[in-house]
């Protein structure tokens, strides 16, 4: 039984966590992501002939910026002031930690096809009541405008921090596909417990679960199977062998049972322990490439996966549901 490998990448730069503290380390990591991380990861994918879904924060793709006074304000209990107060309203030449137009264009024009998706326009929290509906609609519209500018489909959306919200508005804006939270064996209503469970799974090297698409608010939902965690802070305690084992087991499980092994990560999080992190991806991509060449594994983007799923619904064919 053949399985499918899907890789989604959340390209954030400083937008990803500035609201939790704009430290010099974040600035260095974000600039590295733009100048080195994204190009290096793209080269690795193209060498192994793997198409991935690159979800860019829309603002990071701008050629230049002069401010966003028209955007409806957000209000969060952990963040004070205007959401754009740290945005330098500049361009990539002066602030490559905020703007990554060149990296975006490299992905768009890659020698082996890649998919452009969006990770919101400015990385707001769509599940928080402090995000007004008007701001959500503005975020979606700004992303769609970028897609039209470059003549791309761009109808795949990944919510910041996987906090899903405003799905009706997302659909109305012209998006078709999104990534809900990962499919795990145990999930509670408490985010802290879920994080602990995911960390324990990484430590123990347990097998990630295959996923299948499903419809939610008439959008195609494609959950994640596993996030490749960075090697910073407490995450350094997770052995490389456990991470390697999980990716290998995820591929084996989806080929055995059918379904999708949906791996995802943040390119900025390859900044710490670069040799080890890129080494893990090199091994994984080499295995994926070999399995794909033998016909034992299909490689697809989120958009391609959604197309296949919608076609199966129109044809009335059954979709295989992976067992837990």
């Amino acid at each position: 039984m053949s399985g499918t490998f899907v890789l989604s990448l959340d390209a954030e730069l400083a937008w990803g966590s500035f609201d939790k503290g704009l430290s010099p380390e974040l600035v260095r990591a974000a600039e590295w992501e733009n100048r080195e991380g994204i190009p290096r990861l793209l080269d690795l994918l193209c060498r192994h002939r793997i198409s991935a879904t690159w979800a860019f924060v829309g603002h990071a793709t701008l050629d230049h910026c002069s401010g966003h006074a028209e955007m409806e304000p957000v209000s969060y209990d952990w963040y004070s002031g205007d959401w754009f107060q740290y945005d330098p309203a500049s361009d990539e030449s002066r602030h490559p930690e905020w703007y990554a137009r060149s990296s975006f264009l490299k992905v768009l024009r890659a020698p082996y096809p890649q998919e452009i998706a969006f990770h919101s326009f400015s990385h707001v929290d769509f599940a928080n009541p402090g995000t007004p509906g008007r701001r959500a609609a503005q975020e979606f519209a700004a992303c769609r405008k970028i897609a039209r500018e470059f003549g791309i489909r761009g109808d795949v959306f990944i919510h910041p921090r996987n906090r899903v919200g405003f799905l009706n508005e997302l659909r109305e804006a012209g998006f078709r596909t999104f990534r809900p939270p990962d499919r795990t064996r145990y999930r509670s209503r408490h985010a802290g417990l879920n994080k602990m469970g995911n960390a324990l799974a990484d430590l123990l090297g347990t097998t990630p679960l295959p996923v299948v698409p499903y419809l939610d608010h008439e959008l195609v939902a494609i959950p994640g199977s596993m996030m490749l965690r960075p090697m910073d802070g407490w995450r350094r305690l997770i052995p490389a062998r456990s991470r390697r084992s999980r990716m290998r087991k995820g591929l084996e499980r989806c080929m055995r049972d059918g379904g999708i092994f949906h791996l995802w990560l943040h390119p900025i999080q390859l900044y710490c322990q670069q040799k080890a992190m890129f080494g893990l991806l090199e091994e994984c991509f080499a295995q994926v490439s070999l399995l794909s060449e033998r016909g034992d594994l299909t490689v697809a983007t989120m958009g391609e996966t959604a197309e296949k799923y919608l076609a199966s619904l129109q044809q009335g064919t059954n979709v295989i549901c992976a067992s837990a």
Side-chain angles (χ1 to χ4, degrees):
M1 182 178 291
S2 177
T4 300
F5 174 72
V6 172
L7 175 66
S8 56
L9 307 165
D10 302 1
E12 304 176 339
L13 279 73
W15 293 98
S17 53
F18 75 91
D19 56 310
K20 296 184 176 181
L22 187 60
S23 65
E25 184 68 7
L26 173 59
V27 171
R28 285 192 293 270
E31 182 174 356
W32 174 87
E33 178 186 13
N34 182 12
R35 298 300 198 210
E36 299 181 45
I38 291 174
R40 186 174 171 186
L41 182 54
L42 179 61
D43 177 69
L44 190 61
L45 287 166
C46 290
R47 283 195 286 111
H48 288 289
R49 301 178 65 80
I50 294 173
S51 296
T53 297
W54 294 78
F56 280 88
V57 169
H59 198 294
T61 72
L62 299 181
D63 183 60
H64 63 279
C65 169
S66 55
H68 298 280
E70 78 284 359
M71 285 283 195
E72 189 78 11
V74 296
S75 177
Y76 303 137
D77 56 9
W78 72 90
Y79 183 83
S80 60
D82 182 77
W83 190 250
F84 292 103
Q85 64 185 313
Y86 296 114
D87 171 23
S90 180
D91 57 30
E92 183 178 2
S93 65
R94 288 175 288 180
H95 291 282
E97 73 276 20
W98 291 96
Y99 300 86
R101 180 79 159 202
S102 63
S103 290
F104 171 73
L105 292 177
K106 286 176 183 175
V107 173
L108 185 64
R109 300 165 182 169
Y112 195 78
Q114 304 294 310
E115 178 175 60
I116 297 292
F118 290 97
H119 195 35
S120 79
F121 181 69
S122 64
H123 211 267
V124 296
D125 185 344
F126 289 91
N128 192 289
T131 302
R134 184 167 182 267
R135 176 57 178 270
Q138 289 174 325
E139 293 269 330
F140 301 148
C143 293
R144 297 301 296 154
K145 181 180 178 182
I146 295 168
R148 290 193 300 271
E149 176 188 351
F150 289 94
I152 58 177
R153 189 162 190 168
D155 60 357
V156 176
F157 192 88
I158 292 179
H159 291 77
R161 294 168 189 157
N162 267 16
R163 288 179 51 80
V164 174
F166 295 103
L167 291 181
N168 285 327
E169 293 81 354
L170 185 68
R171 184 190 66 252
E172 291 167 1
F175 287 93
R176 184 181 60 166
T177 309
F178 73 102
R179 188 185 72 202
D182 293 3
R183 180 180 180 229
T184 58
R185 287 179 173 79
Y186 308 105
R187 178 164 292 277
S188 76
R189 296 181 179 180
H190 302 284
L193 291 177
N194 291 331
K195 289 180 180 178
M196 289 176 60
N198 292 336
L200 186 61
D202 281 344
L203 283 166
L204 298 177
T206 61
T207 304
L209 298 178
V211 302
V212 292
Y214 60 89
L215 288 180
D216 189 347
H217 291 71
E218 300 178 47
L219 295 163
V220 180
I222 307 174
S225 300
M226 169 189 171
M227 179 184 76
L228 180 60
R229 294 182 186 276
M231 290 185 176
D232 61 343
W234 65 267
R235 301 172 189 86
R236 293 179 180 175
L237 298 175
I238 301 172
R241 65 177 179 275
S242 296
R243 303 166 191 263
R244 181 183 299 108
S245 176
R246 292 205 78 202
M247 290 189 287
R248 176 180 54 78
K249 290 175 180 177
L251 289 171
E252 292 173 349
R253 176 73 181 270
C254 82
M255 288 191 298
R256 185 185 75 229
D257 296 346
I260 301 161
F261 175 48
H262 186 176
L263 178 68
W264 63 281
L265 59 100
H266 301 80
I268 195 173
Q269 293 180 333
L270 301 175
Y271 176 67
C272 292
Q273 304 293 323
Q274 295 170 31
K275 182 177 180 181
M277 291 295 284
F278 275 99
L280 287 171
L281 289 176
E282 175 78 59
E283 291 180 39
C284 177
F285 295 169
Q287 185 180 14
V288 167
S289 181
L290 177 62
L291 293 170
S292 175
E293 289 174 0
R294 291 193 330 210
D296 296 331
L297 182 72
T298 299
V299 178
T301 64
M302 288 182 65
E304 290 168 341
T305 302
E307 284 185 5
K308 183 177 180 180
Y309 172 70
L310 291 173
S312 74
L313 294 181
Q314 292 174 354
Q315 297 167 3
T317 57
N318 293 326
V319 179
I320 296 172
C321 181
S323 58

